Protein backbone atom coordinates (compact mmCIF):
# COMPACT_ATOMS: atom_id res chain seq x y z
CA UNK A 1 0.00 0.00 0.00
CA UNK A 2 2.87 2.42 0.77
CA UNK A 3 4.38 1.92 -2.68
CA UNK A 4 1.08 2.63 -4.45
CA UNK A 5 0.39 5.65 -2.23
CA UNK A 6 3.84 7.11 -2.84
CA UNK A 7 3.49 6.49 -6.54
CA UNK A 8 0.19 8.40 -6.60
CA UNK A 9 1.98 11.29 -4.89
CA UNK A 10 4.40 11.45 -7.81
CA UNK A 11 7.38 9.63 -6.35
CA UNK A 12 9.72 7.94 -8.77
CA UNK A 13 10.38 4.19 -8.59
CA UNK A 14 13.98 4.84 -7.47
CA UNK A 15 12.80 7.13 -4.65
CA UNK A 16 10.20 4.61 -3.50
CA UNK A 17 12.82 1.84 -3.55
CA UNK A 18 15.23 3.91 -1.45
CA UNK A 19 12.47 4.86 0.96
CA UNK A 20 11.19 1.30 1.46
CA UNK A 21 14.61 -0.37 1.27
CA UNK A 22 13.67 -2.59 -1.65
CA UNK A 23 15.04 -3.28 -5.09
CA UNK A 24 13.68 -1.19 -7.98
CA UNK A 25 12.66 -4.32 -9.89
CA UNK A 26 10.63 -5.47 -6.88
CA UNK A 27 8.87 -2.08 -6.60
CA UNK A 28 8.13 -2.03 -10.32
CA UNK A 29 6.71 -5.60 -10.16
CA UNK A 30 4.35 -4.64 -7.30
CA UNK A 31 3.22 -1.46 -9.06
CA UNK A 32 2.57 -3.35 -12.32
CA UNK A 33 0.57 -6.06 -10.52
CA UNK A 34 3.07 -8.81 -11.31
CA UNK A 35 3.45 -9.60 -7.58
CA UNK A 36 0.92 -9.52 -4.75
CA UNK A 37 1.94 -8.31 -1.28
CA UNK A 38 2.27 -11.15 1.22
CA UNK A 39 2.69 -13.87 -1.43
CA UNK A 40 6.09 -15.21 -2.45
CA UNK A 41 6.81 -16.20 -6.02
CA UNK A 42 6.71 -19.97 -6.32
CA UNK A 43 9.80 -21.59 -7.84
CA UNK A 44 9.20 -24.22 -10.54
CA UNK A 45 8.35 -27.65 -9.11
CA UNK A 46 11.21 -30.04 -9.91
CA UNK A 47 8.78 -32.98 -9.73
CA UNK A 48 6.52 -31.86 -12.59
CA UNK A 49 8.74 -33.18 -15.45
CA UNK A 50 8.62 -36.63 -13.84
CA UNK A 51 4.91 -36.60 -12.99
CA UNK A 52 3.72 -38.54 -16.05
CA UNK A 53 6.46 -41.17 -15.64
CA UNK A 54 5.47 -41.71 -12.00
CA UNK A 55 1.78 -41.93 -12.94
CA UNK A 56 2.54 -44.55 -15.57
CA UNK A 57 4.80 -46.62 -13.29
CA UNK A 58 2.23 -46.63 -10.50
CA UNK A 59 -0.57 -47.38 -12.95
CA UNK A 60 1.42 -50.43 -14.10
CA UNK A 61 2.31 -51.44 -10.53
CA UNK A 62 0.15 -49.72 -7.86
CA UNK A 63 2.17 -51.38 -5.05
CA UNK A 64 5.59 -50.16 -6.21
CA UNK A 65 7.49 -48.72 -3.26
CA UNK A 66 8.12 -44.97 -3.28
CA UNK A 67 11.78 -45.65 -2.46
CA UNK A 68 12.09 -47.90 -5.52
CA UNK A 69 10.43 -45.28 -7.73
CA UNK A 70 12.69 -42.63 -6.19
CA UNK A 71 15.75 -44.66 -7.21
CA UNK A 72 14.44 -44.76 -10.78
CA UNK A 73 13.69 -41.02 -11.11
CA UNK A 74 17.06 -40.17 -9.54
CA UNK A 75 18.63 -42.12 -12.38
CA UNK A 76 16.52 -40.08 -14.82
CA UNK A 77 17.80 -36.76 -13.47
CA UNK A 78 15.52 -35.84 -10.53
CA UNK A 79 17.50 -33.62 -8.14
CA UNK A 80 15.09 -33.34 -5.21
CA UNK A 81 15.24 -35.21 -1.94
CA UNK A 82 13.25 -38.27 -0.91
CA UNK A 83 10.92 -36.40 1.45
CA UNK A 84 10.20 -33.80 -1.24
CA UNK A 85 9.51 -36.62 -3.70
CA UNK A 86 7.04 -38.45 -1.42
CA UNK A 87 5.33 -35.15 -0.56
CA UNK A 88 4.84 -34.52 -4.28
CA UNK A 89 3.39 -38.03 -4.73
CA UNK A 90 0.79 -37.23 -2.07
CA UNK A 91 0.11 -33.70 -3.34
CA UNK A 92 -0.56 -34.84 -6.90
CA UNK A 93 -2.30 -38.06 -5.71
CA UNK A 94 -0.19 -40.16 -8.04
CA UNK A 95 -0.68 -43.57 -6.39
CA UNK A 96 -3.99 -45.35 -7.14
CA UNK A 97 -6.03 -46.41 -4.12
CA UNK A 98 -6.16 -50.15 -3.38
CA UNK A 99 -8.94 -50.93 -0.93
CA UNK A 100 -8.06 -54.63 -0.25
CA UNK A 101 -4.51 -53.64 0.75
CA UNK A 102 -5.59 -50.86 3.11
CA UNK A 103 -3.69 -51.42 6.34
CA UNK A 104 -5.63 -52.41 9.45
CA UNK A 105 -5.31 -50.09 12.42
CA UNK A 106 -6.14 -50.22 16.08
CA UNK A 107 -4.25 -53.39 17.04
CA UNK A 108 -2.20 -53.61 20.20
CA UNK A 109 1.53 -54.03 19.53
CA UNK A 110 3.97 -55.30 22.15
CA UNK A 111 7.51 -53.95 22.43
CA UNK A 112 10.13 -56.73 22.38
CA UNK A 113 13.62 -55.97 23.68
CA UNK A 114 16.49 -57.09 21.47
CA UNK A 115 19.86 -56.79 23.24
CA UNK A 116 22.92 -56.29 20.99
CA UNK A 117 24.34 -59.50 19.57
CA UNK A 118 21.56 -61.63 21.05
CA UNK A 119 19.42 -62.72 18.10
CA UNK A 120 19.45 -63.28 14.34
CA UNK A 121 16.12 -63.88 12.64
CA UNK A 122 16.00 -66.09 9.54
CA UNK A 123 13.28 -66.58 6.99
CA UNK A 124 12.86 -67.89 3.45
CA UNK A 125 11.51 -65.52 0.82
CA UNK A 126 9.92 -67.22 -2.18
CA UNK A 127 10.49 -65.26 -5.38
CA UNK A 128 7.83 -66.05 -8.01
CA UNK A 129 8.43 -66.17 -11.76
CA UNK A 130 12.28 -66.17 -11.81
CA UNK A 131 14.17 -65.74 -15.13
CA UNK A 132 13.94 -68.88 -17.25
CA UNK A 133 17.71 -69.08 -17.58
CA UNK A 134 18.07 -69.79 -13.85
CA UNK A 135 16.47 -73.22 -14.32
CA UNK A 136 14.88 -73.27 -10.85
CA UNK A 137 11.23 -73.70 -11.86
CA UNK A 138 8.34 -71.53 -10.74
CA UNK A 139 10.05 -70.03 -7.67
CA UNK A 140 13.51 -68.89 -6.68
CA UNK A 141 14.46 -68.94 -2.99
CA UNK A 142 16.17 -66.26 -0.91
CA UNK A 143 17.28 -66.85 2.69
CA UNK A 144 17.29 -63.57 4.62
CA UNK A 145 19.02 -63.16 7.98
CA UNK A 146 18.60 -59.98 10.07
CA UNK A 147 20.21 -58.84 13.31
CA UNK A 148 17.28 -58.11 15.62
CA UNK A 149 19.01 -55.27 17.50
CA UNK A 150 20.43 -53.15 14.68
CA UNK A 151 18.30 -54.27 11.73
CA UNK A 152 21.26 -55.08 9.48
CA UNK A 153 20.36 -57.90 7.09
CA UNK A 154 22.00 -59.99 4.42
CA UNK A 155 20.49 -62.49 1.96
CA UNK A 156 21.65 -65.44 -0.16
CA UNK A 157 19.98 -67.02 -3.20
CA UNK A 158 19.48 -70.78 -2.99
CA UNK A 159 18.25 -73.39 -5.44
CA UNK A 160 15.74 -74.92 -3.01
CA UNK A 161 14.69 -74.86 0.64
CA UNK A 162 15.84 -78.35 1.61
CA UNK A 163 18.16 -79.02 4.54
CA UNK A 164 21.55 -78.89 2.71
CA UNK A 165 20.68 -75.65 0.91
CA UNK A 166 19.40 -74.16 4.18
CA UNK A 167 22.68 -74.94 5.95
CA UNK A 168 24.73 -73.58 3.05
CA UNK A 169 22.71 -70.35 2.93
CA UNK A 170 22.85 -69.95 6.73
CA UNK A 171 26.63 -70.21 6.70
CA UNK A 172 26.96 -67.64 3.93
CA UNK A 173 24.53 -65.21 5.59
CA UNK A 174 26.34 -65.20 8.96
CA UNK A 175 29.68 -64.71 7.18
CA UNK A 176 28.23 -61.74 5.31
CA UNK A 177 27.01 -60.33 8.64
CA UNK A 178 30.51 -60.64 10.08
CA UNK A 179 29.63 -63.20 12.76
CA UNK A 180 26.71 -64.88 14.44
CA UNK A 181 24.46 -63.88 17.32
CA UNK A 182 23.86 -66.16 20.31
CA UNK A 183 20.35 -67.18 19.26
CA UNK A 184 18.82 -68.07 15.89
CA UNK A 185 15.08 -67.54 15.44
CA UNK A 186 12.97 -69.35 12.83
CA UNK A 187 9.34 -69.84 12.04
CA UNK A 188 8.04 -73.42 11.95
CA UNK A 189 9.86 -74.54 8.81
CA UNK A 190 10.04 -78.32 8.46
CA UNK A 191 13.80 -78.37 7.88
CA UNK A 192 14.39 -76.84 11.33
CA UNK A 193 11.67 -78.25 13.58
CA UNK A 194 8.60 -80.45 13.68
CA UNK A 195 5.85 -77.98 12.73
CA UNK A 196 3.25 -79.63 14.97
CA UNK A 197 5.27 -79.44 18.19
CA UNK A 198 7.96 -76.85 17.46
CA UNK A 199 10.68 -79.23 18.66
CA UNK A 200 13.99 -78.82 16.82
CA UNK A 201 14.91 -81.81 14.66
CA UNK A 202 17.98 -83.87 15.48
CA UNK A 203 19.60 -83.06 12.13
CA UNK A 204 19.32 -79.32 12.66
CA UNK A 205 20.32 -79.55 16.31
CA UNK A 206 23.69 -80.79 15.07
CA UNK A 207 24.14 -77.47 13.29
CA UNK A 208 24.56 -75.93 16.75
CA UNK A 209 28.32 -76.45 16.28
CA UNK A 210 28.20 -72.73 15.43
CA UNK A 211 27.71 -72.24 19.18
CA UNK A 212 24.16 -70.89 19.10
CA UNK A 213 20.72 -71.70 20.45
CA UNK A 214 17.66 -72.17 18.26
CA UNK A 215 14.33 -70.47 19.01
CA UNK A 216 11.07 -71.26 17.22
CA UNK A 217 8.29 -68.71 16.87
CA UNK A 218 4.96 -69.56 18.55
CA UNK A 219 2.29 -70.84 16.15
CA UNK A 220 0.57 -68.13 14.08
CA UNK A 221 2.90 -65.48 15.51
CA UNK A 222 4.99 -64.61 12.48
CA UNK A 223 5.29 -60.98 13.65
CA UNK A 224 7.55 -62.26 16.44
CA UNK A 225 10.32 -62.07 13.84
CA UNK A 226 9.21 -58.73 12.46
CA UNK A 227 12.77 -57.52 11.77
CA UNK A 228 13.43 -60.16 9.12
CA UNK A 229 9.87 -59.82 7.78
CA UNK A 230 10.57 -56.15 7.10
CA UNK A 231 13.84 -57.10 5.41
CA UNK A 232 11.90 -59.58 3.24
CA UNK A 233 9.54 -56.80 2.26
CA UNK A 234 12.43 -54.53 1.30
CA UNK A 235 14.15 -57.24 -0.75
CA UNK A 236 10.95 -58.11 -2.60
CA UNK A 237 9.92 -54.54 -3.37
CA UNK A 238 13.24 -52.77 -3.92
CA UNK A 239 15.13 -55.57 -5.66
CA UNK A 240 13.04 -58.48 -6.94
CA UNK A 241 10.40 -56.34 -8.66
CA UNK A 242 13.05 -54.80 -10.91
CA UNK A 243 15.15 -57.92 -11.74
CA UNK A 244 15.30 -58.22 -15.58
CA UNK A 245 14.99 -61.49 -17.47
CA UNK A 246 18.57 -61.46 -18.77
CA UNK A 247 20.16 -61.30 -15.30
CA UNK A 248 22.24 -64.29 -14.22
CA UNK A 249 22.16 -65.80 -10.72
CA UNK A 250 25.56 -64.29 -9.89
CA UNK A 251 24.48 -60.83 -11.03
CA UNK A 252 21.25 -61.14 -9.03
CA UNK A 253 23.22 -62.06 -5.90
CA UNK A 254 25.45 -59.05 -6.43
CA UNK A 255 22.35 -56.85 -6.73
CA UNK A 256 20.82 -58.01 -3.44
CA UNK A 257 24.19 -57.60 -1.71
CA UNK A 258 24.42 -54.00 -2.90
CA UNK A 259 20.90 -53.25 -1.70
CA UNK A 260 21.62 -54.73 1.75
CA UNK A 261 24.80 -52.64 2.11
CA UNK A 262 22.97 -49.51 0.95
CA UNK A 263 20.26 -50.06 3.56
CA UNK A 264 22.91 -49.98 6.30
CA UNK A 265 22.70 -46.19 5.86
CA UNK A 266 19.18 -46.06 7.33
CA UNK A 267 18.86 -43.66 10.27
CA UNK A 268 17.96 -44.75 13.80
CA UNK A 269 17.53 -42.85 17.08
CA UNK A 270 18.94 -44.59 20.15
CA UNK A 271 18.81 -42.86 23.55
CA UNK A 272 18.38 -39.52 21.82
CA UNK A 273 21.39 -40.06 19.54
CA UNK A 274 20.99 -40.36 15.78
CA UNK A 275 23.00 -43.25 14.35
CA UNK A 276 22.85 -45.48 11.27
CA UNK A 277 22.04 -49.16 11.07
CA UNK A 278 25.64 -49.84 10.09
CA UNK A 279 26.97 -48.08 13.17
CA UNK A 280 24.61 -50.03 15.41
CA UNK A 281 25.62 -53.31 13.79
CA UNK A 282 29.31 -52.53 14.15
CA UNK A 283 28.81 -52.12 17.90
CA UNK A 284 27.18 -55.55 18.27
CA UNK A 285 29.53 -58.18 19.64
CA UNK A 286 28.98 -61.19 17.45
CA UNK A 287 30.44 -64.66 17.90
CA UNK A 288 33.09 -65.91 15.51
CA UNK A 289 31.98 -68.27 12.76
CA UNK A 290 33.74 -71.67 12.47
CA UNK A 291 36.40 -71.92 9.78
CA UNK A 292 34.43 -74.60 7.92
CA UNK A 293 30.64 -74.81 7.61
CA UNK A 294 28.55 -77.69 8.90
CA UNK A 295 29.31 -80.65 6.57
CA UNK A 296 25.89 -81.06 4.97
CA UNK A 297 25.91 -82.71 1.55
CA UNK A 298 24.32 -80.93 -1.40
CA UNK A 299 22.97 -83.01 -4.27
CA UNK A 300 21.32 -81.47 -7.32
CA UNK A 301 20.27 -82.85 -10.69
CA UNK A 302 21.66 -81.37 -13.89
CA UNK A 303 21.52 -81.96 -17.67
CA UNK A 304 24.82 -82.28 -19.55
CA UNK A 305 25.25 -79.64 -22.26
CA UNK A 306 26.35 -80.44 -25.86
CA UNK A 307 29.85 -79.27 -24.83
CA UNK A 308 29.85 -81.97 -22.11
CA UNK A 309 29.63 -79.36 -19.34
CA UNK A 310 27.52 -79.32 -16.17
CA UNK A 311 26.39 -76.10 -14.49
CA UNK A 312 26.62 -75.73 -10.70
CA UNK A 313 26.70 -72.64 -8.47
CA UNK A 314 27.45 -70.29 -11.34
CA UNK A 315 30.34 -72.36 -12.78
CA UNK A 316 30.74 -75.09 -15.43
CA UNK A 317 32.39 -78.48 -14.89
CA UNK A 318 33.38 -81.02 -17.55
CA UNK A 319 32.30 -84.66 -17.88
CA UNK A 320 33.50 -87.39 -20.27
CA UNK A 321 32.20 -87.21 -23.88
CA UNK A 322 29.13 -89.10 -24.98
CA UNK A 323 26.87 -87.83 -22.17
CA UNK A 324 25.29 -84.82 -23.90
CA UNK A 325 21.66 -84.53 -22.82
CA UNK A 326 22.02 -87.09 -20.02
CA UNK A 327 20.84 -86.46 -16.46
CA UNK A 328 23.63 -86.41 -13.86
CA UNK A 329 23.86 -85.60 -10.15
CA UNK A 330 26.29 -83.06 -8.68
CA UNK A 331 27.30 -83.80 -5.08
CA UNK A 332 29.22 -81.42 -2.83
CA UNK A 333 29.88 -81.64 0.90
CA UNK A 334 30.00 -78.18 2.48
CA UNK A 335 33.47 -77.20 3.56
CA UNK A 336 35.26 -79.48 1.08
CA UNK A 337 37.25 -78.16 -1.85
CA UNK A 338 35.98 -80.60 -4.47
CA UNK A 339 32.72 -81.91 -5.89
CA UNK A 340 31.64 -85.13 -7.59
CA UNK A 341 29.50 -85.66 -10.68
CA UNK A 342 27.69 -89.01 -10.82
CA UNK A 343 25.26 -90.73 -13.14
CA UNK A 344 21.65 -91.49 -12.25
CA UNK A 345 22.93 -94.85 -10.97
CA UNK A 346 25.32 -92.96 -8.63
CA UNK A 347 28.48 -93.99 -10.46
CA UNK A 348 31.00 -91.15 -10.09
CA UNK A 349 32.23 -90.05 -13.54
CA UNK A 350 34.12 -86.85 -12.64
CA UNK A 351 35.68 -85.07 -9.67
CA UNK A 352 36.70 -81.41 -9.81
CA UNK A 353 38.02 -78.71 -7.53
CA UNK A 354 35.15 -76.42 -6.60
CA UNK A 355 35.37 -72.92 -8.05
CA UNK A 356 34.11 -69.94 -5.99
CA UNK A 357 30.34 -69.58 -6.09
CA UNK A 358 29.18 -67.38 -8.95
CA UNK A 359 32.70 -66.92 -10.37
CA UNK A 360 31.65 -67.91 -13.89
CA UNK A 361 34.63 -70.26 -14.31
CA UNK A 362 34.81 -73.31 -16.59
CA UNK A 363 36.65 -76.16 -14.88
CA UNK A 364 37.80 -78.84 -17.36
CA UNK A 365 39.69 -82.06 -16.84
CA UNK A 366 42.54 -82.47 -19.34
CA UNK A 367 41.47 -86.03 -20.10
CA UNK A 368 37.93 -84.90 -20.82
CA UNK A 369 39.19 -82.22 -23.20
CA UNK A 370 41.38 -84.65 -25.17
CA UNK A 371 38.65 -87.32 -25.36
CA UNK A 372 36.07 -84.78 -26.53
CA UNK A 373 38.40 -83.45 -29.23
CA UNK A 374 39.08 -86.96 -30.50
CA UNK A 375 35.40 -87.79 -30.67
CA UNK A 376 34.59 -84.57 -32.49
CA UNK A 377 37.41 -85.07 -35.00
CA UNK A 378 36.39 -88.70 -35.58
CA UNK A 379 32.87 -87.61 -36.45
CA UNK A 380 34.09 -84.82 -38.73
CA UNK A 381 33.96 -85.34 -42.54
CA UNK A 382 35.48 -83.18 -45.27
CA UNK A 383 33.56 -84.81 -48.14
CA UNK A 384 31.31 -82.70 -50.34
CA UNK A 385 27.56 -82.96 -49.77
CA UNK A 386 25.70 -85.60 -51.81
CA UNK A 387 23.97 -84.52 -55.02
CA UNK A 388 20.22 -84.83 -54.99
CA UNK A 389 19.52 -84.53 -58.75
CA UNK A 390 20.93 -87.89 -59.90
CA UNK A 391 19.15 -90.75 -61.74
CA UNK A 392 19.79 -94.03 -59.97
CA UNK A 393 17.40 -96.85 -61.01
CA UNK A 394 17.19 -100.09 -58.99
CA UNK A 395 20.40 -102.12 -59.21
CA UNK A 396 20.67 -105.79 -60.23
CA UNK A 397 20.84 -106.78 -56.58
CA UNK A 398 17.66 -104.86 -55.84
CA UNK A 399 15.85 -106.43 -58.82
CA UNK A 400 16.93 -109.89 -57.71
CA UNK A 401 15.63 -109.22 -54.21
CA UNK A 402 12.32 -108.01 -55.67
CA UNK A 403 11.94 -111.25 -57.64
CA UNK A 404 12.63 -113.23 -54.48
CA UNK A 405 9.89 -111.36 -52.66
CA UNK A 406 7.41 -112.00 -55.46
CA UNK A 407 8.17 -115.73 -55.27
CA UNK A 408 7.53 -115.72 -51.54
CA UNK A 409 4.13 -114.09 -52.07
CA UNK A 410 3.14 -116.72 -54.65
CA UNK A 411 4.17 -119.58 -52.35
CA UNK A 412 2.14 -118.10 -49.54
CA UNK A 413 -1.03 -118.32 -51.64
CA UNK A 414 -1.54 -114.80 -52.82
CA UNK A 415 -4.93 -114.70 -54.70
CA UNK A 416 -3.40 -112.52 -57.39
CA UNK A 417 -0.79 -115.19 -58.13
CA UNK A 418 -3.43 -117.97 -58.42
CA UNK A 419 -5.35 -116.37 -61.32
CA UNK A 420 -4.83 -118.52 -64.52
CA UNK A 421 -6.25 -117.58 -67.92
CA UNK A 422 -6.95 -120.79 -70.03
CA UNK A 423 -8.85 -120.14 -73.38
CA UNK A 424 -9.50 -123.86 -74.01
CA UNK A 425 -11.60 -124.01 -70.86
CA UNK A 426 -13.82 -121.23 -72.13
CA UNK A 427 -14.13 -122.94 -75.60
CA UNK A 428 -15.38 -126.21 -74.03
CA UNK A 429 -18.02 -124.37 -72.05
CA UNK A 430 -19.22 -122.63 -75.23
CA UNK A 431 -19.54 -125.98 -77.16
CA UNK A 432 -21.67 -127.47 -74.42
CA UNK A 433 -23.99 -124.52 -74.47
CA UNK A 434 -24.49 -124.84 -78.26
CA UNK A 435 -25.36 -128.56 -78.01
CA UNK A 436 -28.24 -128.00 -75.57
CA UNK A 437 -31.62 -127.46 -77.49
CA UNK A 438 -33.60 -124.34 -76.79
CA UNK A 439 -37.12 -124.48 -75.19
CA UNK A 440 -38.80 -123.48 -78.50
CA UNK A 441 -37.25 -126.40 -80.38
CA UNK A 442 -38.50 -128.87 -77.73
CA UNK A 443 -42.06 -127.59 -78.08
CA UNK A 444 -42.14 -128.03 -81.86
CA UNK A 445 -41.02 -131.55 -81.57
Amino acid sequence: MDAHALRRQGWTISAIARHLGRDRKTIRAYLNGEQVPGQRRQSPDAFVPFLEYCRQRLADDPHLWASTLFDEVKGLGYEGGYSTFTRALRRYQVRPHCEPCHAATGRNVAVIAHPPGEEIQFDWLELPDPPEGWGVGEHAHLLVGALAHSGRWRAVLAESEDFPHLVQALDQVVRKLGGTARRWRFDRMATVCYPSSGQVTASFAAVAKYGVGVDICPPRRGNRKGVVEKANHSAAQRWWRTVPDALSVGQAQSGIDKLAVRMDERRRTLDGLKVTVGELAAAERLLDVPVRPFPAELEVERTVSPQCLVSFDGNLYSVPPGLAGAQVRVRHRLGEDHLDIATAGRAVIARHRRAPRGAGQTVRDAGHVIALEREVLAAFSDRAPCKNKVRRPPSEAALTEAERLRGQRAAAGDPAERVVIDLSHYAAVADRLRSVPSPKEENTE
Side-chain angles (χ1 to χ4, degrees):
M1 297 297 294
D2 291 342
H4 286 279
L6 295 174
R7 184 63 171 172
R8 286 193 298 268
Q9 294 178 12
W11 286 40
T12 63
I13 292 178
S14 298
I16 297 173
R18 287 193 299 270
H19 179 71
L20 297 179
R22 304 294 181 184
D23 186 81
R24 288 178 297 176
K25 294 180 181 179
T26 303
I27 298 300
R28 186 179 290 109
Y30 277 112
L31 294 176
N32 294 336
E34 297 175 3
Q35 293 188 22
V36 179
Q39 296 184 6
R40 290 182 176 272
R41 180 182 297 174
Q42 295 291 333
S43 59
D45 191 348
F47 177 78
V48 172
F50 306 93
L51 177 59
E52 290 304 319
Y53 175 79
C54 294
R55 286 191 188 278
Q56 184 61 47
R57 287 291 284 124
L58 291 175
D60 297 337
D61 186 359
H63 301 91
L64 184 68
W65 273 23
S67 54
T68 306
L69 186 58
F70 177 71
D71 293 339
E72 295 182 4
V73 297
K74 286 287 286 185
L76 296 175
Y78 179 73
E79 297 180 354
Y82 179 70
S83 59
T84 304
F85 176 75
T86 55
R87 188 164 52 249
L89 290 179
R90 293 190 295 270
R91 182 171 66 252
Y92 291 101
Q93 299 180 353
V94 181
R95 186 183 298 278
H97 177 70
C98 182
E99 184 63 28
C101 295
H102 187 67
T105 57
R107 295 186 304 174
N108 294 325
V109 179
V111 178
I112 302 175
H114 295 298
E118 182 65 22
E119 182 178 277
I120 298 180
Q121 300 175 2
F122 291 99
D123 194 20
W124 282 112
L125 176 62
E126 286 193 352
L127 307 173
D129 192 24
E132 187 176 352
W134 291 13
V136 295
E138 297 181 355
H139 290 86
H141 307 277
L142 185 76
L143 183 71
V144 182
L147 292 171
H149 173 71
S150 62
R152 169 182 280 179
W153 61 271
R154 295 294 184 264
V156 172
L157 282 165
E159 190 167 329
S160 69
E161 298 182 6
D162 59 10
F163 179 76
H165 284 92
L166 171 64
V167 175
Q168 182 188 40
L170 279 172
D171 180 77
Q172 294 178 6
V173 166
V174 296
R175 294 183 192 278
K176 289 177 182 291
L177 288 172
T180 179
R182 294 164 182 80
R183 311 291 301 180
W184 287 355
R185 180 168 293 278
F186 299 87
D187 59 11
R188 299 196 165 214
M189 58 179 67
T191 50
V192 176
C193 69
Y194 300 104
S196 59
S197 63
Q199 182 180 0
V200 178
T201 62
S203 58
F204 194 82
V207 185
K209 66 167 289 187
Y210 287 84
V212 300
V214 180
D215 296 323
I216 306 298
C217 288
R220 295 178 296 279
R221 295 294 187 273
N223 56 353
R224 175 61 181 82
K225 53 182 181 60
V227 179
V228 71
E229 292 288 352
K230 186 61 178 179
N232 286 352
H233 200 188
S234 300
Q237 298 294 335
R238 300 191 63 174
W239 168 72
W240 183 248
R241 275 186 177 269
T242 59
V243 169
D245 291 335
L247 209 66
S248 66
V249 177
Q251 292 170 333
Q253 182 64 59
S254 176
I256 191 64
D257 289 341
K258 291 178 181 178
L259 173 64
V261 172
R262 190 164 69 247
M263 295 196 70
D264 285 350
E265 301 174 0
R266 291 171 293 165
R267 294 286 181 178
R268 294 287 185 269
T269 301
L270 184 65
D271 298 332
L273 299 176
K274 292 185 177 181
V275 294
T276 64
V277 169
E279 292 171 348
L280 280 176
E284 293 195 60
R285 295 182 178 180
L286 302 178
L287 304 177
D288 293 333
V289 181
V291 178
R292 289 185 175 272
F294 180 79
E297 186 174 88
L298 287 172
E299 182 172 323
V300 295
E301 190 173 274
R302 291 290 187 269
T303 301
V304 181
S305 71
Q307 294 79 25
C308 295
L309 296 174
V310 176
S311 174
F312 179 71
D313 270 355
N315 301 290
L316 296 173
Y317 300 91
S318 67
V319 296
L323 295 173
Q327 297 292 321
V328 296
R329 296 179 179 272
V330 182
R331 294 201 300 259
H332 169 62
R333 186 176 293 276
L334 301 182
E336 294 186 355
D337 299 328
H338 66 274
L339 56 85
D340 295 332
I341 303 176
T343 62
R346 299 189 176 277
V348 177
I349 56 176
R351 170 170 285 195
H352 295 282
R353 62 167 181 84
R354 184 176 179 273
R357 188 171 188 261
Q361 297 183 10
T362 300
V363 182
R364 291 180 178 269
D365 183 88
H368 296 167
V369 175
I370 296 174
L372 181 62
E373 290 179 353
R374 288 177 178 174
E375 186 166 321
V376 172
L377 291 175
F380 179 75
S381 175
D382 58 355
R383 295 185 303 174
C386 298
K387 297 180 179 180
N388 55 8
K389 296 181 180 180
V390 179
R391 188 183 66 84
R392 291 183 178 178
S395 63
E396 290 295 333
L399 294 175
T400 302
E401 181 65 17
E403 289 297 331
R404 185 184 67 80
L405 294 175
R406 292 190 186 97
Q408 289 181 354
R409 290 179 59 189
D414 191 345
E417 297 294 337
R418 293 200 303 269
V419 175
V420 179
I421 302 176
D422 191 351
L423 296 180
S424 61
H425 175 73
Y426 290 103
V429 174
D431 291 342
R432 286 197 301 271
L433 290 176
R434 284 195 297 269
S435 63
V436 175
S438 64
K440 292 182 179 180
E441 292 177 352
E442 291 180 354
N443 291 336
T444 55
E445 290 178 357

